[in-house]
Amino acid sequence: MHMPKVHNTYFLAIIATVGGMLFGFDISSMSAIIGTKQYVVYFDNPAGIIQGAIGSALAAGSVVGSLFAGPLSNRIGRRDSIFIGCLFWLLGTAIQVACNGYGMLIAGRIINGICVGITSSQVPVYLAEIAKKEKRGSIIVIQQLAIEWGILIMFFVGYGCSFIAGPASFRTAWGIQFVPAFVLIVGIPFLPRSPRWLAKVGREKEAIGILARIQAHGDVNDPLVVAEWEEITSVLAIEREAGGGWKNNGMWKRTLAGMSVQAWQQLS
């Protein structure tokens, strides 16, 4: 069964960047809860190494997720990689909600982190590959905006749930993390695949059709579509000649620059 696809760039961005909102939710899901009496009592006032492990578990999972996000995305596509990330999110959130100690909580946050590693790397790539040139900057910014909104919403959720007595307080707050994941899972089937990925795996006709519907209301002969397709094919040809990999053609410099920017952003 083929779901009808929506090709409005901003709609695609809104749905895809829910993946960023997942990141924001999980960041503040711990920050908003650790100071509550219910959390402190249930987990016996975790501190030091234990609380550090709980807090850093998300980052640990993100490292794992980001390492295999690239190969996974190249194999099954950007869109389907985001879907796989959602499955990790559902599993991790379920474990957190059902946790009976900090061991399960850490495990759940690590699994959620795998999702964050996948979505935070693949959503921007997907947006860049489906957006028009002149809109790429503004479209990709929506990803960061979604992260900040996720943080804000979850802080308010945590505050509201702090008035619930007992463990139901933090379980409810963590359970609300299911909501954005379900929104993303429902929305993903309506998203077209990345034209660049389709071209990379030899599905040129499908790639041109999606590109035309996004760029020119389905007109495959539109100059913008023709120019974009020529750029995609020429870049892919160069990549094949270079052999791929981050070590070739100075790609390691770009990789290092990108990693440094993201690292310093987190340290801030």
Side-chain angles (χ1 to χ4, degrees):
M1 179 180 178
H2 294 283
M3 298 293 292
K5 299 296 185 288
V6 178
H7 296 91
N8 180 279
T9 305
Y10 287 103
F11 175 84
L12 301 181
I14 290 171
I15 296 298
T17 53
V18 174
M21 190 174 288
L22 298 178
F23 190 9
F25 264 55
D26 211 46
I27 290 174
S28 53
S29 70
M30 188 51 60
S31 302
I33 298 298
I34 59 175
T36 63
K37 180 180 178 180
Q38 298 91 322
Y39 175 86
V40 171
V41 170
Y42 187 84
F43 291 100
D44 193 24
N45 192 24
I49 294 176
I50 293 176
Q51 186 56 54
I54 294 172
S56 62
L58 177 71
S62 298
V63 171
V64 175
S66 61
L67 286 175
F68 72 77
L72 178 68
S73 175
N74 287 336
R75 184 174 180 83
I76 67 175
R78 291 49 162 133
R79 188 194 69 175
D80 292 352
S81 296
I82 298 170
F83 183 84
I84 295 296
C86 288
L87 299 182
F88 279 107
W89 183 269
L90 295 179
L91 176 60
T93 299
I95 292 174
Q96 289 183 70
V97 172
C99 70
N100 57 9
Y102 54 79
M104 284 184 68
L105 177 57
I106 292 172
R109 284 180 58 76
I110 289 175
I111 295 172
N112 272 18
I114 294 174
C115 167
V116 169
I118 295 172
T119 57
S120 62
S121 62
Q122 295 311 307
V123 168
V125 173
Y126 176 77
L127 294 177
E129 292 180 352
I130 58 102
K132 295 181 180 179
K133 285 183 180 180
E134 64 273 16
K135 293 183 178 180
R136 281 175 187 162
S138 59
I139 291 295
I140 294 175
V141 165
I142 298 176
Q143 164 77 353
Q144 185 61 39
L145 182 63
I147 294 174
E148 303 304 329
W149 271 106
I151 294 172
L152 177 64
I153 291 170
M154 198 61 195
F155 266 119
F156 277 107
V157 168
Y159 173 73
C161 290
S162 67
F163 296 99
I164 301 174
S169 172
F170 54 80
R171 294 191 197 279
T172 301
W174 293 338
I176 290 175
Q177 294 181 113
F178 282 118
V179 175
F182 280 126
V183 171
L184 189 52
I185 286 174
V186 171
I188 282 177
F190 296 95
L191 305 183
R193 295 183 184 276
S194 160
R196 189 182 186 280
W197 178 78
L198 290 170
K200 188 173 183 177
V201 297
R203 295 161 63 176
E204 290 86 357
K205 185 176 180 180
E206 188 178 351
I208 295 173
I210 291 174
L211 193 63
R213 285 189 287 274
I214 292 174
Q215 302 270 13
H217 305 289
D219 183 4
V220 296
N221 297 313
D222 186 277
L224 289 175
V225 176
V226 174
E228 185 78 12
W229 179 247
E230 289 178 350
E231 179 183 342
I232 289 173
T233 53
S234 61
V235 170
L236 289 176
I238 293 172
E239 288 180 357
R240 292 189 184 101
E241 290 176 5
W246 61 274
K247 296 180 180 179
N248 297 327
N249 293 331
M251 189 62 71
W252 69 270
K253 297 179 181 179
R254 302 176 192 175
T255 304
L256 181 60
M259 290 175 63
S260 300
V261 169
Q262 292 298 315
W264 287 113
Q265 179 190 37
Q266 295 301 312
L267 289 173
S268 65

